[in-house]
Amino acid sequence: MYRFVALCFAVFALAPASAAEFKGDDDVKYQACLKLAARQPDGAFDSALQWRDRGGGNPARHCAAMALIQLKHYADAADRLEQLATDLRKSNPGLVPEVL
């Protein structure tokens, strides 16, 4: 039940909060990734993982989770969002309530 609630909040609340955190070049990449996740989630997931591996950090991780939601891989998406929330406690605790 907790994962479902976290997933629902992530879909509707996290994207705007995350966009506020990720300014500059990362914001452009992040917004493009989220758009791709809505249209082509398979491609967005792969792209987000490559971006993450090149230093995309939390925006890339969030986009990968959003792509998994579109792919209906809810448990994996919830796991990733929970891990993101855990990591945000250290770097940006203000976003944690919105993630959870």
Side-chain angles (χ1 to χ4, degrees), residues 3-28:
R3 286 183 181 191
F4 177 74
V5 172
L7 191 59
C8 288
F9 276 108
V11 170
F12 296 108
L14 182 60
S18 296
E21 179 189 13
F22 312 130
K23 297 293 181 196
D25 291 339
D26 278 348
D27 185 46
V28 172

Side-chain angles (χ1 to χ4, degrees), residues 1-3 11-12 18 35-36 73-74 78 81 83 90:
M1 178 67 169
Y2 172 74
R3 286 183 181 191
V11 170
F12 296 108
S18 296
K35 287 178 185 177
L36 185 61
H73 296 271
Y74 302 119
L81 290 170
Q83 185 60 53
K90 300 170 194 159

Side-chain angles (χ1 to χ4, degrees), residues 42-66:
D42 282 326
F45 181 74
D46 293 339
S47 178
L49 293 183
Q50 291 174 6
W51 180 28
R52 179 202 63 196
D53 292 345
R54 290 189 317 266
N58 292 334
R61 293 171 59 202
H62 178 251
C63 186
M66 294 296 99

Side-chain angles (χ1 to χ4, degrees), residues 63-96:
C63 186
M66 294 296 99
L68 288 172
I69 290 169
Q70 293 296 320
L71 292 167
K72 298 181 176 29
H73 296 271
Y74 302 119
D76 192 16
D79 288 342
R80 288 171 184 265
L81 290 170
E82 287 178 11
Q83 185 60 53
L84 179 59
T86 298
D87 295 344
L88 284 171
R89 283 187 180 102
K90 300 170 194 159
S91 65
N92 196 339
L95 287 179
V96 172

